[in-house]
């Protein structure tokens, strides 16, 4: 039983770290890393339970989830790279303040 | 197809008028349409009296699911209101017959007439409410585009304030149908069926209050009235005629058609409150009218006072009170419509509405003085003219319900004299002040006199021979009072 | 009750036709001839009413219904005419006096610019008065009642440019409306309790109303009558009504309109009989008003105001007669008073007309302006004297007989008797003073206008003379009127007659003394008692009280209209609506648009949902 | 089963996929034609039409991951309508933009037919990613980049929540098919909650909606119209599918409060907006609130077809009004509130259409908006919560505050001396789209039988 607990602990820990990345870090690249962490956390859980239930569908889902996450990252970087600012420091969320109210 | 024509005719000609090639063509088309509607509505008297029963000339579309049928019918009260609407539309079109009005102006009046006809004919709550709110849009543009002074603010305040009432009413109506479903297990939006079973249940008082408040905003009843003075002050003359003459009646008609029949027990229980508010409207309206310096605001407050008599008449739940209310609706339409026309003519000539802007008009414009006195006397309830009969019957109804309130309401007659005559004296008898605009005021033209004579004839006619109208509304009133 | 004769229809049709023809034709085309159709209609009405009087003397009375007016469920009212002895008798007086005053008015108003408008209003009043006297139910009577009120508003305010005239007209209509509210409530109560307002149904079985209900209805009717017949609480409008032209004051505010209230009380005698305590109360109010009017008349200087207060006093006498003696004394005094008071007013009109040029066109004159007119206006003097003696009650003139019957009725209770005698003394006092000051005496403080005052033209003094003769000879009408009303006249005992003659004589003596004892008698006395004079001028504070009451209502209106509506309620709702954009402004400024905040809020939301689920799982 | 029949339920998605591949190939091949042209738009439109035909005509079939039941067909038609409206209004697209559009539509088709939770996730991803790029692609300026990035990160966060919810649900119940799970374990409930949060994010409900105004304001107007209608409809679909997993506590407590908060917050914020697109964005947040209330009523009544029909009707009429309003703004060339005064004189047709559309958004009879709100109020009363109905009524009153405010500005206020805002956009497709939307809004105002028709379809 404790295996399941370990799995849940790992997944939730990883998930909260990923979310924390997204919430607290200012650099956009770090936030993309956070997104990846959250997806991997979910994958841990899925794979663990797929193996425990010997259900191939779960494994297929985990695989596809990785692919989806990859696609997400690609789109994210596409947008981040097109951010041009003169001081050429790392793009940060604080630069994105024009739209408000 | 009999009744649909009544609202469809003006609704269909409205776009044509809007798209008319020249302003003159638009005006003529509008005149033709409104007189056609008037003649048609009067012609309906034939088939109406040929049939029997309370609701006649039924006409309904395919029975949709959940009773959402397109269903028209008419009884004495609504037929008389249709006549009033058609008559006032024609009068307001002829009265403001001038060249500087764009096509949209005439189209708006036809659309307004169509929406009002719809309200008075519909027997299905969904359609009733659609026409109820649809009437606001033309009036919003009439006040907003062709009004005077700060018309935009007045139009905006008018439409938002009335939407408050409208949405409360919508909540109430949906609640009424839900209560009816709880009671009888059937879904229907037909007013005749809804009013057959008495709605009850824990939510019934709240639904009653919601519907009552929704209609009260439109009547208007005392605390919910302060959209009226602004709307009237800024509306153009013809706009005020339609607003006071026909639109205020939607609220009273709603009370008579939906609220009282659907909640007989609650209406009886609400008598002291409702009649109390009615009396408050009478006295508050009259007192405020006495304090006004602007003629149109004064007449607006008199409307609040007169509508108070309708409320008192309805909530007395006696046949006399109810027929008094029905009569008062028609009388108020005629007399206040006349007053607004006259003030409109004054404004057209002198671009001023203040009491102190005029003086000594009786010498320079005797016909003006005659008609203003005549219509003002009808409005303050001089017996022999139409105002008195409605007020006396409403007072009698209230007397049967609660004598002390009747005594208080009868004070309204004294206050009526107190706002009616001094204003007349100030404008027509008192010598003109230094900055007076009286010299600008030339006497009524033939067209204007013709319009006012067409108003004066029913004013005297209904004053001395109200019997035909009373018989017309008698069956509807009898069924209401029996509940 | 035989069906309506043709004459009855003429009563209403003729004035209506004259009014319509006058308004639509002559007023437009040739305004100077509007009075012709109107005089014709007056003549027709007078002839018709005299014909009806003849028939009535023969014991006939007519009634008939013309059409149904209102027919809601419980309220059924018909429009009909009722010509019984009471209405025919009063109608005849009104028709005759009205006809004569119409003729007088032609002369009096000849130079007025709005000549035709005056006659239209004048005849509108006449039509309403005839309608009032002949209606067969209370609601129809109420209709003409307010019609008469409207006519008095138009006529009092006839000279529109005068602010005092406008104020008087409005005051008259408002006070009448206060009374009419009571009258309307009485009508509604009658419907409520008996289901009908027709005189025939009501009075055929009086048991319809219990005594307590009859008292309420009776009192409300009396309240309405008080307003119209200027009884104590609501008489305040009559003195101001003198602002109107003199024919108006003569016809309406002396002979006919003000008597409508007494006629109403006379018409509803079966109703008032059923209420035990009501009649004595009415008598008391009448008596008090009589004395009050007499006191008011004595101290006034303006000749028309003196006559106005005298009318208030005599109306009080009629009400006293009605309360104490029943219908006959009241109606008889009403008719006699109609004649001599109209004559007195028209004499006053002649005096004003005579002094018109020297007074600089002032519409009214005071006793000081007049004085010693005996020489220059002989005919008016003769008519005035005849009227005065009849008013004072000098035997054998009309006033003496009618006052006799009133006092006879009043002698039942000591208080009424005392007030009655006081009034008798008072009337001779003030009419004597007016007679001596205006026509006889020559005092230094006089402004010497008497020299070039000129007598009125025949078209004016002939009707005056006829009226004063009518007033003087009215005594002989007592017997036929009694027979007409079918009541046995209750003659006063000799002691009562003696007492009244004594008080009348005393009155004249005192008047002679006050008016002429010392050359400066009156002004000297006035200067010594300014406080008393001021109190009387304002009717012991009652006139200012009423004005303050009206002011209070106007103040309440301004308070409600400007303060409550203008600055509390109306802006209040607008501010309530403006709260939403204000809230929006506050929220808007806080949303800074930072990505991390968005993410933070989202995570908080998701966490909230998760916690919620685990909590109540 | 022959392979073809197995693909039967995925036909709509496949037709979009075919269009996608064709467009990508074309984009790769012809380097030269840089600017937007009609051909790519036509190809994408062809994909839509094929998908719509497949959804309408194909016989119903059910695969393990996708099925083609009446509900799915309705969703497909809804997405197809929104897409065609976008293409018609936009007129010309570059190859890449058309490809992105078809990709997004393919994702939506997957969503429509999804019977498996992961298929829902895939559909969500395929729908969202192209839209992030389109926001910046169609109007390459700094503001749209910022909007795209904000939308991307919050969208990714929501996708993360959804996936973790999926994992938790899978852990709890062991299956991923969207069916009422028999034993409700805490993990499953947690999963449903997180997935619901993701759906609420996509819908723009409180407190997940802050991205929406930025995205709608900065994006190209036609795209905003597409997002406000198709993407919002997809979000409602996701919410309904997730809640049908047995939401328990989330349903009874969270949904009503979130609904009220969303509509009130949306309306209040809209009152102060100067930029018209941002104003309509906040108003669409308010409409999200009404939709959440309608979905709650649907769940509370036990998922009957008439309540579902109410949600569809509301979405359909809201689609017409909202897309129409955005496109009408584009057609009239008004950007901010100051551009409106005098619009009635400058562009009378655009002004009249905009008035009809705004009144429909406000829910004023005789427009479709009223019919939609009427049925929502009715269902809320039937679901036994008059207070929520009162909240909806009160909020539509606040909404009328700014809708009628705009109408007043356009028609009543005096025209400024020199004309403001960009000139009216002459594109024919745009005008036709606005006329169609306004006509639909006006027509449906007097057709109360609509919902009964939808209900019949769903049975």
């Amino acid at each position: 039983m404790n295996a399941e607990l370990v799995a849940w602990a790992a997944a939730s820990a990883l998930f909260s770290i990923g979310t924390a990345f997204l919430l607290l870090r200012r650099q956009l690249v770090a936030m993309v890393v956070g997104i990846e962490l959250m997806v991997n956390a979910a994958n841990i859980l899925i794979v663990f339970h797929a193996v425990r239930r010997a259900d191939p569908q779960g494994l297929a889902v985990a695989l596809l989830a990785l692919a989806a996450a990859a696609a997400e990252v690609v789109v994210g970087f596409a947008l981040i790279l097109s951010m041009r600012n003169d001081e050429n420091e790392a793009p940060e969320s604080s630069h994105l303040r024009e739209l408000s109210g | 197809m009999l009744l649909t024509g009544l609202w469809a005719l003006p609704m269909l000609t409205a776009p044509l008028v809007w798209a008319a090639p020249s302003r003159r063509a638009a005006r003529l088309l509008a005149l033709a349409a409104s007189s056609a509607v008037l003649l048609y509505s009067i012609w309906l008297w034939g088939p109406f009296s040929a049939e029997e029963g309370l609701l006649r000339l039924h006409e309904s579309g395919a029975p949709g699911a959940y009773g959402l049928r397109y269903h028209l019918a008419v009884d004495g009260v609504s037929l008389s209101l249709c006549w009033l609407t058609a008559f006032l539309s024609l009068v307001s079109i002829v009265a403001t017959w001038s060249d500087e009005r764009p096509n949209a102006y005439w189209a708006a009046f036809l659309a307004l007439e169509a929406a009002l006809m719809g309200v008075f004919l519909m027997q299905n709550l969904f359609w009733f409410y659609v026409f109820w709110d649809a009437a606001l849009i033309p009036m919003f543009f009439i006040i907003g585009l062709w009004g005077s002074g700060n018309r935009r603010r007045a139009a905006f305040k008018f439409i938002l304030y009335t939407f408050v009432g409208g949405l409360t009413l919508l909540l109430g109506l949906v609640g009424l149908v839900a209560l009816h479903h709880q009671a009888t297990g059937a879904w229907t939006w037909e007013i005749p069926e809804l009013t057959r079973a008495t709605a009850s249940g824990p939510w019934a008082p709240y639904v009653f209050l919601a519907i009552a408040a929704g209609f009260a905003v439109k009547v208007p009843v005392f605390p919910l009235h302060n959209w009226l003075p602004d709307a009237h002050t800024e509306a153009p003359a013809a706009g005020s005629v339609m607003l006071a003459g026909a639109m205020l009646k939607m609220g009273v008609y709603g009370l008579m058609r939906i609220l009282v029949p659907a909640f007989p027990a609650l209406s009886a229980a609400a008598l002291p409150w409702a009649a109390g508010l009615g009396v408050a409207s009478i006295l508050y309206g009259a007192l405020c009218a006495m304090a006004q310096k602007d003629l149109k605001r004064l007449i607006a407050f008199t409307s609040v006072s007169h509508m108070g008599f309708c409320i008192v008449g309805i909530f007395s739940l006696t046949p006399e009170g109810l027929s008094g209310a029905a009569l008062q609706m028609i009388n108020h339409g005629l007399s206040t419509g006349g007053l607004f026309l006259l003030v409109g003519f004054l404004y057209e000539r002198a671009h001023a509405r203040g009491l102190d802007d005029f003086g000594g008009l009786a010498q320079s414009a005797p016909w003006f003085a005659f008609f203003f006195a005549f219509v003002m006397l009808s409005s303050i309830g001089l017996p022999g003219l139409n105002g008195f009969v409605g007020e006396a019957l409403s007072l009698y109804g209230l007397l049967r319900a609660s004598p002390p309130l009747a005594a208080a309401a009868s004070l309204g007659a004294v206050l009526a004299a107190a706002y009616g005559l001094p204003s007349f004296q100030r404008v027509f008898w008192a010598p003109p002040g230094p900055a007076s605009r009286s010299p600008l005021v030339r006497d009524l033209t033939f067209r204007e006199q013709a319009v006012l004579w067409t108003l004066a004839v029913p004013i005297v006619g209904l004053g001395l021979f109200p019997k035909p109208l009373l018989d017309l509304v008698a069956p509807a009133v009898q069924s209401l009072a029996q509940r | 009750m035989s069906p309506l004769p043709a004459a009855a229809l003429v009563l209403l049709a003729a004035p209506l036709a004259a009014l319509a023809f006058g308004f639509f034709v002559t007023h437009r085309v040739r305004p100077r001839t509007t009075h012709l159709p109107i005089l014709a209609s007056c003549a027709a009405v007078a002839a018709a009413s005299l014909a009806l009087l003849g028939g009535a003397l023969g014991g006939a009375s007519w009634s008939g219904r013309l059409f149904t007016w209102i027919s809601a469920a419980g309220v059924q009212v018909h429009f009909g005419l009722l010509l019984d002895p009471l209405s025919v008798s009063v109608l005849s007086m009104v028709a005759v006096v009205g006809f004569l005053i119409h003729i007088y008015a032609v002369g009096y108003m000849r130079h007025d610019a709005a000549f035709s408008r005056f006659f239209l209003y004048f005849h509108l009043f006449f039509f309403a008065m005839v309608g009032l006297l002949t209606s067969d139910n209370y609601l129809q009577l109420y209709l003409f009642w307010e019609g008469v009120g409207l006519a008095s508003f138009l006529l009092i305010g006839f000279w529109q440019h005068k602010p005092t005239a406008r104020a008087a007209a409005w005051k008259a209509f408002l006070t009448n409306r206060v009374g009419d509210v009571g009258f309307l409530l009485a009508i509604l109560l009658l419907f409520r309790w008996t289901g009908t307002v027709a005189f025939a149904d009501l009075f055929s079985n009086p048991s319809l109303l219990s005594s307590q209900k009859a008292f309420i209805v009776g009192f409300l009717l009396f309240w309405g009558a008080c307003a119209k017949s200027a009884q104590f609480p609501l008489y305040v409008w009559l003195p101001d009504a003198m602002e109107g032209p003199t024919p108006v004051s003569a016809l309406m505010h002396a002979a006919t309109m003000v008597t409508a209230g007494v006629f109403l009380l006379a018409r509803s005698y079966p109703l008032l009989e059923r209420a035990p305590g009501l009649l004595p109360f009415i008598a008391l109010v009448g008596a008090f008003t009589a004395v009050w009017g007499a006191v008011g008349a004595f101290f006034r200087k303006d000749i028309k105001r003196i006559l106005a207060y005298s009318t208030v006093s005599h109306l009080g006498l009629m009400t006293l007669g009605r309360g104490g003696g029943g219908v006959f004394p009241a109606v008889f005094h009403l008719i006699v008073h109609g004649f001599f008071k109209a004559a007195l007013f028209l004499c006053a009109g002649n005096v004003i007309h005579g002094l018109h040029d020297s007074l600089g066109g002032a519409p009214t004159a005071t006793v000081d302006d007049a004085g010693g007119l005996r020489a220059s206006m002989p005919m008016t003097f003769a008519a005035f004297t005849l009227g005065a003696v009849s008013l004072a009650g000098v035997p054998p003139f009309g006033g003496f007989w009618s006052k006799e019957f009133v006092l006879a009725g009043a002698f039942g209770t000591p208080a009424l008797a005392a007030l009655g005698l006081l009034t008798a003394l008072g009337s001779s006092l003030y009419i004597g003073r007016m007679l001596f000051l205006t026509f006889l005496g020559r005092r230094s403080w006089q402004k010497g206008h008497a020299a070039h005052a000129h007598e009125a033209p025949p078209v004016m003094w002939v009707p005056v003379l006829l009226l004063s003769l009518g007033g003087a000879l009215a005594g002989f009408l007592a017997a036929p009127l009694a027979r007409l009303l079918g009541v046995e006249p209750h003659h006063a005992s000799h002691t009562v007659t003696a007492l009244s003659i004594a008080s009348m004589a005393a009155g004249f003596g005192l008047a002679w003394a006050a008016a002429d004892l010392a050359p400066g008698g009156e002004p000297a006395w006035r200067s010594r008692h300014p406080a008393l004079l001021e109190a009387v001028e304002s009717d012991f504070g009652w006139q200012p009280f009423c004005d303050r009451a009206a002011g209070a209502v106007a103040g309440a209106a301004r308070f409600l209209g400007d303060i409550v509506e203008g600055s509390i309620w109306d802006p209040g709702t607008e501010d309530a609506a403006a709260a939403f954009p204000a809230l929006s402004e506050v929220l808007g400024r806080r949303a800074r648009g930072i990505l991390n905040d968005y993410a933070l809020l989202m995570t908080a939301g998701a966490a909230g949902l998760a916690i919620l689920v685990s909590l109540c799982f | 089963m022959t392979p073809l029949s197995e693909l039967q339920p995925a036909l709509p998605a496949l037709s979009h996929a075919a269009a996608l591949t064709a467009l990508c190939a074309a984009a790769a091949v012809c380097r030269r034609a840089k600017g937007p042209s009609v051909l790519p738009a036509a190809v994408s439109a062809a994909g839509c039409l094929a998908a719509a035909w497949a959804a309408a005509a194909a016989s119903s079939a059910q695969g393990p991951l996708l099925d083609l039941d009446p509900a799915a067909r309705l969703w497909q038609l809804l997405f197809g309508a929104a897409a065609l409206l976008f293409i018609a209004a936009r007129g010309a697209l570059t190859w890449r933009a058309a490809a992105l559009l078809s990709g997004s539509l393919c994702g939506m088709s997957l969503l429509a037919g999804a019977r498996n939770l992961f298929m829902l996730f895939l559909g969500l991803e395929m729908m969202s990613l192209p839209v992030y790029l389109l926001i910046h692609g169609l109007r390459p300026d700094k503001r749209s980049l910022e909007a795209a990035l904000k939308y991307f990160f919050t969208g990714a966060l929501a996708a993360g929540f959804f996936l973790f919810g999926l994992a938790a649900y899978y852990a709890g119940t062991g299956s991923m098919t969207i069916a009422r799970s028999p034993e409700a374990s805490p993990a499953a409930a947690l999963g449903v909650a997180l997935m619901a949060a993701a759906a609420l994010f996509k819908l723009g409900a409180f407190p997940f909606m802050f991205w929406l105004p930025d995205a709608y304001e900065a994006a190209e107007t036609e795209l905003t119209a597409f997002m406000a209608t198709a993407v919002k409809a997809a979000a409602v679909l996701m919410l309904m599918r997730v809640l049908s997993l047995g939401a328990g506590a989330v349903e009874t407590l969270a949904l009503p409060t979130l609904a009220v908060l969303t509509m009130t917050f949306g309306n209040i914020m809209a009152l102060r907006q100067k930029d018209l697109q941002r104003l309509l964005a906040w108003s669409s947040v308010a409409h999200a609130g009404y939709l959440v209330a309608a979905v709650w009523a649907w769940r509370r009544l036990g998922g009957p077809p008439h309540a579902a029909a109410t949600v569809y009707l509301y979405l359909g009429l809201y689609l017409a009004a909202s897309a129409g309003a955005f496109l009408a703004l584009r057609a009239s060339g008004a950007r901010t509130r100051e551009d409106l005064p005098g619009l009635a004189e400058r562009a009378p047709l655009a002004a009249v259409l905009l008035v009809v559309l705004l009144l429909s958004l406000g829910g004023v009879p005789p427009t479709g908006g009223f019919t939609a709100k009427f049925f929502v109020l009715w269902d809320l009363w039937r679901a036994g919560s008059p207070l929520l109905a009162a909240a909806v009524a009160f909020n539509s009153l606040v909404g009328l505050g700014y809708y009628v405010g705009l109408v007043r500005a356009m028609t009543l206020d005096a025209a400024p001396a020199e004309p403001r805002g960009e000139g009216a956009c002459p594109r024919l497709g745009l005008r036709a789209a606005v006329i169609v939307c306004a006509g639909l809004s006006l027509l449906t105002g007097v057709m109360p039988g609509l919902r009964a028709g939808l209900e019949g379809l769903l049975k």
Side-chain angles (χ1 to χ4, degrees), chain C residues 580 584 593 598 601 613 616-617, chain D residues 150 184 189 210 214 249-250 268 272:
Chain C
F580 290 100
S584 161
Y598 293 176
L601 272 169
V613 161
C616 38
F617 181 69
Chain D
K150 281 186 179 173
F210 279 100
D214 299 348
V250 171
I268 298 283
R272 71 184 288 274

Side-chain angles (χ1 to χ4, degrees), chain D residues 171-238:
Chain D
T173 58
S175 93
M176 288 193 189
T177 54
I178 298 173
R180 188 108 181 74
S181 59
E183 74 317 313
S185 65
L190 174 68
V192 167
L194 285 176
M195 285 192 277
L200 288 172
F201 156 79
K202 211 61 190 163
L203 186 54
F206 188 87
F208 310 96
M209 75 292 175
F210 279 100
W211 60 273
L212 192 134
D214 299 348
Y216 283 22
E217 178 185 0
E220 190 63 6
T221 318
E222 289 85 351
L223 182 65
T224 311
F226 180 69
M227 284 200 287
T229 46
V231 173
K232 194 178 283 297
V236 169
L237 163 79
M238 273 173 59

Side-chain angles (χ1 to χ4, degrees), chain A residues 58-76:
Chain A
L59 296 174
V61 159
L63 206 60
L64 279 173
L66 282 178
E72 217 174 315
V73 166
V74 161
V75 168

Side-chain angles (χ1 to χ4, degrees), chain A residues 10-70:
Chain A
S12 346
L14 200 57
F15 185 77
S16 34
I17 292 168
T19 316
F21 257 67
L22 211 79
L23 260 58
L24 305 176
R25 295 299 296 271
R26 280 206 322 287
Q27 291 84 4
L28 296 182
V29 175
M31 292 164 87
V32 170
V33 166
I35 294 166
E36 274 308 302
L37 290 181
M38 286 161 63
V39 169
N40 294 343
N43 278 345
I44 291 172
L45 259 181
I46 295 175
V47 166
F48 174 82
H49 283 284
V51 166
R52 211 155 60 82
R53 285 196 174 78
D55 164 14
Q57 196 199 19
L59 296 174
V61 159
L63 206 60
L64 279 173
L66 282 178

